[in-house]
Amino acid sequence: MQLDETAIVDVLKRLRRAEGQIHGVIGMLEDGRDCADVVTQLAAVSRAVDRAGFRLIASGLQQCVTERGGGTVPSADEERLERLFLSLA
């Protein structure tokens, strides 16, 4: 199964943002920043990576449903599935 190109672009954007956040966290640690600030940024990185994974899951599930049912699933349903997965995290 091939993933939707739009989903891949979105996931790559999220992962690149997380990559930048990780570099920021490393810099914060090297600069001796406050622990609470570092933990806050680490939580943001974690959420970004989680959202990227859930986006892939939602896209893959949408494709499975579409292929199995022979129809199409509106993008609103895909967004709803993504929000449902995120609510579990």
Side-chain angles (χ1 to χ4, degrees):
M1 169 177 60
Q2 289 289 337
L3 292 173
D4 176 60
E5 186 65 31
T6 304
I8 292 172
V9 169
D10 186 42
V11 168
L12 287 172
K13 188 185 323 178
R14 291 171 193 245
L15 291 175
R16 286 189 180 106
R17 186 177 306 130
E19 181 180 35
Q21 289 172 313
I22 289 171
H23 287 293
V25 169
I26 291 169
M28 291 173 76
L29 288 170
E30 290 173 344
D31 293 342
R33 295 277 302 271
D34 182 64
C35 179
D37 293 339
V38 174
V39 170
T40 298
Q41 288 304 310
L42 281 174
V45 171
S46 179
R47 283 190 305 274
V49 172
D50 286 346
R51 289 187 65 85
F54 286 128
R55 178 69 172 104
L56 285 175
I57 291 168
S59 176
L61 181 59
Q62 186 245 355
Q63 282 188 292
C64 287
V65 169
T66 302
E67 290 171 6
R68 176 170 257 171
T72 60
V73 176
S75 63
D77 287 343
E78 182 179 343
E79 292 168 10
R80 180 173 172 259
L81 287 170
E82 184 177 358
R83 283 193 308 274
L84 287 171
F85 278 111
L86 289 171
S87 71
L88 296 172

